[in-house]
Amino acid sequence: MEKNTPCIAMVPCPGTSHLIPQIELAKKLLHLHPNFTISLLIPSLGPPSPSTTSILQSLPPSINIHFTILPHINPQDLPPNADIPTLMLQTVSHSLPSLSQALTSLASSRTRLVALVLNAFAVDAIDVAREFGLPAYVYYPSCATALAFSLHYPKLEDDDGDDGIVVCRKFGELELKEPLKLPGCMPLRAQDLSDLIQDKSTALHGTLLHLCKRLCLADGILVNSFVDLEPEPIKALQNVAPVYPVGPIVQTESNISSNSSECLAWLDNQPTNSVLYVSFGSGGTLSPEQFNELAYGLELSGHKFLWVVRAPNVGAADSSYLNAQKDDPLEHLPKGFLDRTKGRGFAVRSWAPQVEVLRHGSTCGFLTHCGWNSTLESVACGRPLIAWPLCAEQRLNAALVSEEFKVALRPKVNEKGIVGREEVSRVVKCLMEGDERKEMGRRMEVFKDAAVKAFSKDGSSTKTFETLVTKWESLKN
């Protein structure tokens, strides 16, 4: 390898749902511009999890992606009982000395460092990039609408601001004087933002405020969306910030294990468009009551389903994000459930090869937590959705796919904050057999074709990468 080989250093944050998009971004860049090399510098809370190890070991040896797991930080340096976003931010922040050492090593190797591409929770590393004279870009792995809100977040006030919005919480519920209208975006209501706008007294508010303010310090923001999906939000963002739509960045294949291949074999024996895929992502969990209502609702619907079952949790919906569950999730299913749904349903423990499941001809639709990775994977495979958000920006994503894109159904929550079994059954039947299914499927096919077009020879995202690469190759570090 010649010294002139341009190298991009990428810094993800803990958690496979953040590591995977960064790796897929690296793959896409190298597919379009194979003269580059990518070095992943990975902060860690502790020894890598089995899933992280599997993901890294499965990197194709034929492409120039290398990785270094930075020394894990001292857990005593972390605030006690911290929320997940704060843990991710703090892990990166305490890893900055190790990151600086890794960059020094890279700079002395036979490569030419040209840029640092950071996860949205790794924005504190912008300071390290400045020390090395490197441009710092943030990879924002969610939609352009969510990015617009993130850039606006520091402007929100408890009292009347310039935009006339009043933000307050009453009995724990977020209230807005009127929907938040950001340039180019659909109006955002309180229920869409309830997990994003935090009380000023909370640590989470401080974390989000810090992240959003530092986004503006980056030399550019790469957003995982594409022009034909969010034309107006992207246009509005590019009027105020250096925003680069590079999506859809999605997995094209999963790591197939013997256990996960069983569900694909089961799908092979099902009729075309007959199965509902049910999954809440890499760490999403339901309360015990909601878990049971979902199970009974799937049973009541009478339709075929493939359910990635995670054990219920009485804590926060994302509390298992950085911690592997130890319980056998199938033991928590209602008594007799597996017997009653045998042949019609397939329950898989904790993980399934999602890309292959969504691509399979037997899969009709996807009941999802609306994480943006899962949403884009469904778009790429043309599968309509049942939107069941749990936390973070998922409620905003759910509003986007159900009301703006009109490719998703949204189950109604009862007075106890639960989606009851009858409601589960109703939305499943609507998706699997109702007239709405055909119209949502038609719209999703349009987005699927647009996703392919984005990375055609003259596609919008291909041109975006060309613009970025031209900038990076011109640097003379």
Side-chain angles (χ1 to χ4, degrees), residues 340-354:
R340 293 192 301 272
T341 59
K342 188 174 183 180
R344 181 165 63 81
F346 191 94
V348 58
R349 294 174 174 86
S350 300
W351 186 87
Q354 181 158 295

Side-chain angles (χ1 to χ4, degrees), residues 288-335:
E289 182 180 2
Q290 183 63 87
F291 180 88
N292 282 332
E293 289 301 305
L294 173 59
Y296 285 121
L298 291 173
E299 181 181 347
L300 186 63
S301 76
H303 281 281
K304 293 179 177 290
F305 61 87
L306 192 162
W307 182 9
V308 181
V309 183
R310 301 184 65 84
N313 196 316
V314 296
D318 63 351
S319 58
S320 66
Y321 177 71
L322 296 176
N323 302 292
Q325 292 190 320
K326 298 178 181 179
D327 292 351
D328 180 355
L330 301 191
E331 292 182 357
H332 294 267
L333 290 168
K335 186 176 180 180

